[in-house]
Amino acid sequence: MAVPFIEIKNVFKIFTSHKQEFEVLKGINLDIEKGDIFGIVGFSGAGKSTLIRCINGLETISSGSIRVGKYQINKLAKKDVNIYRQKIGMVFQHFNLFDSRTVYGNVSFPLEIATKKKEEIHNRVLKILDLVGIVNKKDFYPGQLSGGQKQRVGIARALANHPSILLSDEATSALDPVTSMSVLDLLKDINKKLGLTIILITHSLDVVKYTCKNMAVLENGIIAEKGSVKKIFENPQSTTAKVFIKHNAHLSNPYLSGEEVC
Amino acid sequence: MLNFLAKLFRQETLDIILPATWQTLYMVLVATPITIFFGLLFGISLYITDKNGLYPIPIFNKTFGAVINAVLALPSMIVIILALPISKFIVGVSYGPKACIIALTIVCTPIFSRLVESSILEVSKGKIEAAKSMGASTCDIIFKVMLPEALPTLIRNFIVLTITLISITAIAGTFGAGGLGEVAVRFGYHRFKIDILLVAVLVLLVLVESLQFLGDRLSKRILKKRHLI
Ligand SMILES: Nc1ncnc2c1ncn2[C@@H]1O[C@H](COP(=O)(O)OP(=O)(O)OP(=O)(O)O)[C@@H](O)[C@H]1O
Ligand SMILES: [Mg+2]
């Protein structure tokens, strides 16, 4: 088998606060293929955000190794960290848009810091705003947008500088089901059109079922289960997955019924 | 009423007040940009060198913070007296407008540094993290995220600083730079010329109120433009 695009090997993350040590990730092993939409689910505090933040170096891992494409994250020189991050997009639950910039300015930000030429920035921003379907709002400030529109800007901003991966930490949790669906559709669309690898953290199995190809279940800093979404939904092994799926049965989302697992 | 005002603003009074107003404006106009420069520099340094900051240097942060607090804790009068020899070193005199401007700057820079620090602390961690996740350098984060995002609050604090400067010119003025505060003390307190005191206070009040008004307007305008209010 070819080497996977993202290779996470025996990753440990220990936080120290008030002289106390908290082991949040306890030996994570994951391989993620190029072009996958990979879901990570787990209860609150399982370590999902921490794991995804280790992938783009917002947290440094305590031991183990993470490789993304040709980059060995844990061995990256300080000056290369920013160059590496410029190629990884991240989308946040609370959008984290810059209120001081218009929609256009938010999306041009990653291109500005990558010191692209003005004209190139202009063309790229318009193209990406068009892709996420929000080009008519380009001169609006974030304060004038709905949650769904904000997240489209968040996604556009993450995509602007041609990233090879998109990390999404609960990108749809603050949105209503319909808006959430449309944002997920957008992610699927981008995945197909650009061949972008997406890692998607969520609390909602509906989201995973609707969007992802493969998934992992995180339980207290350990991967309890991983594999294709289909396999895990049909035959869940871990407690977390079982509980999630059981709860899911009566929380089923009307918009998702009849949807095929991808 | 008009009669009273005419009496209050008679020529002899104006002859004292107008030059004093100019002296105050001169001190404030020169001291403000210097204080803003160092206040921004120190405030940002305090923010980024914090142990959870963008460029942690805890030892520097603690020491520098302590120095700033020490200057803040001393009464302004004492800081001015201590600053005068420093003025002598920098501008060659320890008396008069130039020396007082330096003393003013030394009194007000720590205040403004802390105001800048608290303004940029208000920028949500999420925004900074978003910038980091896009590979922004510390410099980009400061100039493209922190400062623009904090701008409305910074403007308000900038007005607080200018008003503080005006009030401290009153103390510094007694060391030979003159100004409205010094006039108020000299005539109002030492010579019981209540009318001069009153006019000096009125002019100060107008200065402070109009600054506050301008600052509020500007800050609100930015917030409105960004649709945050
Ligand atoms: N900077 C930190 N210092 C100390 N502990 C931390 C820090 N960041 C996270 N933790 C701890 O790590 C654990 C996992 O946090 P994390 O945010 O990764 O969970 P999560 O799975 O994303 O949860 P949620 O679904 O609620 O977002 C938590 O117990 C949290 O308290
Ligand atoms: Mg989380």
Side-chain angles (χ1 to χ4, degrees), chain A residues 15 24 43-50 170 203:
Chain A
F15 283 111
V24 174
F43 290 116
S44 231
K48 306 181 293 293
S49 298
T50 307
E170 316 253 11
H203 281 131

Side-chain angles (χ1 to χ4, degrees), chain A residues 53-118:
Chain A
R53 290 161 56 81
C54 287
I55 295 178
N56 66 354
L58 285 176
E59 302 286 0
T60 46
I61 58 178
S62 308
S63 67
S65 75
I66 297 182
R67 184 183 56 74
V68 175
K70 61 179 182 184
Y71 293 101
Q72 193 71 44
I73 313 313
N74 43 306
K75 286 186 191 144
L76 225 47
K78 214 169 151 66
K79 66 172 168 50
D80 294 332
V81 172
N82 283 339
I83 292 170
Y84 164 71
R85 283 186 186 152
Q86 287 175 6
K87 288 291 163 202
I88 303 213
M90 190 165 190
V91 190
F92 305 84
Q93 179 175 4
H94 298 295
F95 323 125
N96 294 342
L97 299 180
F98 305 128
D99 293 317
S100 57
R101 287 167 167 254
T102 59
V103 168
Y104 184 101
N106 268 278
V107 179
S108 70
F109 183 88
L111 298 165
E112 285 170 34
I113 58 176
T115 57
K116 296 279 191 252
K117 291 209 184 67
K118 252 208 161 89

